[in-house]
Amino acid sequence: MNKKDTLTVNAGKVKIGGKNRITIQTMWKKSLENFDESDLKEIKRLEAFGCDLLRFSVPNQLSAEILAGIKKDIKMPLVADIHFDHKLALECIQNGIDKIRINPGNIGAEWKVREVLSAAADNNVPIRIGINTGSLPKELLDINDKAEAMLLASENEIEILEKMGFKNAVFSLKSSGSEDTVRANRIFSQRYDYPLHLGITEAGPLTAGLVKTSIALSKLFDEGIGDTIRVSLSDSPLNEVIAGREILRACGISDYGVNIVSCPKCGRSTFDTHGFLSSVYEELYLIKKPIKIAVMGCVVNGPGESADADIGITGSGTKAVIFKDGKIIAKVDENKCKEEFLKILNGL
Ligand code: SF4
């Protein structure tokens, strides 16, 4: 990808834009009001799986206060997502949040947006202007061309930003359709240098959402467009992070972590490749360095794929053969294959 050299903003330790790598975001899916120790562990787990930024809905004062407490325990930059009440954005900025997302379509009067921008400028906090076809400003609701409506919404916001000399901004133009999203982002990128947060909004359940998002993002990446992504799925934040990683890998943008080649299973298989893969799934996705793994179910394609991977396992009946760097290094019984495979993996 010959990435467009957009403006760079700093969300805490993470740089978004310019020639910096494309970052992966997800969103916390529960109410902050019930936040507990197990949630803190879950956030640290998201970070370990490659999440760069985590966004929280902040619908009230209590949520803003709880988010300020979480911020003290988490290294990953955190983003406050504010709708309707600009005072919550001001509160989060004061509390040291790393980035704010607002949707100007529902923040209300221009002076409120100005107050948020002014506080953000004083505290060097970037703002994402998140334009979404589901919540466009009232005066744009009758426009049938949703890409055009998003572009008009962004023009209005840029006018306010530029009058204030505020450049520390990221934009997103999201629709639930790939076509509108691609067209809006393409035209935006031709007109402006602000970094773009890409995604399909309300993309759907895991498979459907991943397909829609991949198609849109791969077109935009081919044109050098995109600085940070979120895959918005009706699924867990963890799967959103893994989906983001897989899209960047499939588009040839990132080689971070594991590349899994695995047998889909057919009537020939006698080894439970799906069960084996599930049993080592977490360990595989926690690896940071580029590595290719093959998990195969029979002798048709198994030895070839396993030999081509950094580590491969091919099962047949109650036995499995483990390959490392193209050579067979172990033959194990089915009930020992996970233990042996992880020992070899951890020794890399
Ligand atoms: Fe079938 Fe073997 Fe291919 Fe798996 S690897 S799908 S078992 S032919």
Side-chain angles (χ1 to χ4, degrees):
M1 174 185 182
N2 184 16
K3 190 174 169 305
K4 180 178 170 184
D5 194 3
T6 49
L7 299 170
T8 301
V9 308
N10 296 298
K13 64 180 180 174
V14 168
K15 289 184 184 304
I16 301 172
K19 291 288 186 186
N20 295 293
R21 72 176 173 85
I22 296 175
T23 47
I24 297 172
Q25 315 197 14
T26 186
M27 191 150 184
W28 190 247
K29 306 205 175 192
K30 293 184 275 185
S31 167
L32 277 168
E33 292 176 37
N34 304 318
F35 198 86
D36 62 21
E37 277 298 312
S38 68
D39 293 323
L40 208 53
K41 275 194 198 137
E42 182 59 20
I43 293 178
K44 288 179 181 167
R45 187 162 169 256
L46 289 173
E47 190 171 20
F49 272 76
C51 180
D52 294 303
L53 294 118
L54 180 61
R55 179 161 50 113
F56 293 83
S57 286
V58 181
N60 53 37
Q61 177 69 25
L62 179 58
S63 302
E65 286 163 18
I66 293 168
L67 183 56
I70 297 169
K71 177 85 190 84
K72 294 189 183 114
D73 290 322
I74 299 289
K75 289 195 197 113
M76 172 171 46
L78 304 183
V79 184
D81 190 271
I82 312 284
H83 294 271
F84 308 113
D85 185 352
H86 82 293
K87 288 201 184 116
L88 293 171
L90 299 177
E91 163 104 16
C92 290
I93 292 170
Q94 267 169 15
N95 291 345
I97 200 72
D98 298 295
K99 188 171 168 234
I100 294 277
R101 183 267 170 127
I102 56 170
N103 182 333
N106 61 34
I107 282 289
E110 184 179 321
W111 66 265
K112 294 180 181 173
V113 177
R114 286 175 165 275
E115 274 198 4
V116 175
L117 295 180
S118 176
D122 291 346
N123 292 278
N124 199 24
V125 173
I127 301 275
R128 171 160 68 96
I129 306 288
I131 293 161
N132 191 311
T133 50
S135 51
L136 286 166
K138 278 192 241 115
E139 64 277 15
L140 301 176
L141 289 178
D142 291 338
I143 298 174
N144 287 332
D145 182 340
K146 294 303 171 203
E148 180 59 22
M150 287 192 279
L151 287 160
L152 285 170
S154 65
E155 262 176 39
N156 294 343
E157 301 318 317
I158 287 169
E159 216 179 291
I160 301 172
L161 295 185
E162 298 200 339
K163 269 194 256 165
M164 292 187 66
F166 188 92
K167 285 281 186 188
N168 202 12
V170 177
F171 274 74
S172 63
L173 294 83
K174 296 188 185 180
S175 141
S176 54
S178 302
E179 157 62 20
D180 289 336
T181 303
V182 169
R183 201 152 43 87
N185 282 280
R186 179 183 288 141
I187 296 170
F188 183 96
S189 172
Q190 287 159 358
R191 291 181 184 168
Y192 309 108
D193 286 334
Y194 293 101
L196 276 165
H197 165 130
L198 300 184
I200 297 293
T201 193
E202 292 104 30
L206 182 60
T207 308
L210 185 46
V211 170
K212 284 184 218 170
T213 309
S214 306
I215 287 172
L217 267 51
S218 80
K219 286 182 185 164
L220 291 165
F221 291 154
D222 277 350
E223 297 173 31
I225 299 165
D227 299 282
T228 182
I229 64 170
R230 182 204 172 189
V231 187
S232 300
L233 301 172
S234 302
D235 210 297
S236 65
L238 185 61
N239 276 342
E240 289 194 359
V241 172
I242 292 173
R245 283 176 55 171
E246 292 296 355
I247 290 173
L248 294 181
R249 171 184 303 287
C251 291
I253 289 169
S254 165
D255 64 356
Y256 176 92
V258 70
N259 176 15
I260 302 173
V261 174
S262 65
C263 151
K265 285 189 89 168
C266 72
R268 190 184 291 278
S269 66
T270 52
F271 178 68
D272 183 12
T273 44
H274 296 188
F276 179 80
L277 198 50
S278 305
S279 75
V280 296
Y281 191 76
E282 285 229 10
E283 281 90 346
L284 292 180
Y285 273 102
L286 285 169
I287 297 168
K288 292 186 166 59
K289 65 181 175 185
I291 181 172
K292 184 173 176 184
I293 298 290
V295 177
M296 302 299 291
C298 80
V299 292
V300 176
N301 295 324
E305 290 288 5
S306 291
D308 192 46
D310 293 300
I311 299 183
I313 180 164
T314 294
S316 182
T318 57
K319 304 271 180 206
V321 178
I322 302 179
F323 292 71
K324 181 165 176 272
D325 300 329
K327 295 194 180 70
I328 293 175
I329 58 160
K331 289 183 185 174
V332 285
D333 285 337
E334 191 179 29
N335 58 359
K336 291 266 180 214
C337 60
K338 178 183 170 188
E339 186 188 326
E340 194 62 28
F341 180 85
L342 289 179
K343 202 161 75 182
I344 294 164
L345 188 71
N346 293 330
L348 276 184

